Amino acid sequence: MNNAAWVPVIEDSQLMEERVRLVSPKGLAILLIRKKADEIYAISNKCPHMGCPLRTGLLEGYILTCPCHDWRFDIRTGAFLDAKEISLQVYPVRIEGGSVMVKV
């Protein structure tokens, strides 16, 4: 049985472009990143290398670099750029009724 549900995490108007925003639906640490008005990504805040929080990492284009050991991830897919078999958890996102919703 799939227990995934759409959860409102932030008002759409509060999510600014090119910013990383930490939210915690159902206790999960998830980063929201808005690239354009209708382009929002949701990824895990935890680097798979040593669990370092990614929210203070450097965002350049679609690449988020871990602040601890410079691991680089594509926010669109969660893929680690140096080894595609390693990746971050990504979550579906939608906007509904003025709220950004994440499926967790």
Side-chain angles (χ1 to χ4, degrees):
M1 185 167 93
N2 185 352
N3 292 327
W6 288 99
V7 178
V9 293
I10 192 172
E11 290 300 311
D12 183 40
S13 62
Q14 294 178 322
L15 188 59
M16 309 308 289
E17 286 186 24
E18 301 297 324
R19 301 286 170 115
V20 176
R21 181 76 181 252
L22 178 64
V23 294
S24 299
K26 296 188 176 186
L28 296 171
I30 295 175
L31 297 179
L32 292 179
I33 303 164
R34 172 175 256 147
K35 293 301 290 179
K36 298 177 186 168
D38 60 347
E39 191 178 359
I40 301 172
Y41 300 95
I43 60 173
S44 172
N45 181 46
K46 187 176 179 181
C47 181
H49 178 215
M50 294 184 73
C52 187
L54 295 170
R55 85 169 196 272
T56 60
L58 178 63
L59 179 64
E60 293 180 296
Y62 292 94
I63 306 305
L64 181 63
T65 301
C66 178
C68 294
H69 301 100
D70 295 327
W71 281 34
R72 298 173 305 133
F73 299 92
D74 186 322
I75 63 170
R76 296 168 290 193
T77 63
F80 173 46
L81 297 185
D82 295 325
K84 300 294 184 198
E85 66 275 9
I86 299 172
S87 64
L88 297 172
Q89 175 72 44
V90 295
Y91 301 89
V93 179
R94 72 180 184 201
I95 298 172
E96 184 177 299
S99 291
V100 177
M101 311 280 287
V102 176
K103 191 171 187 179
V104 294

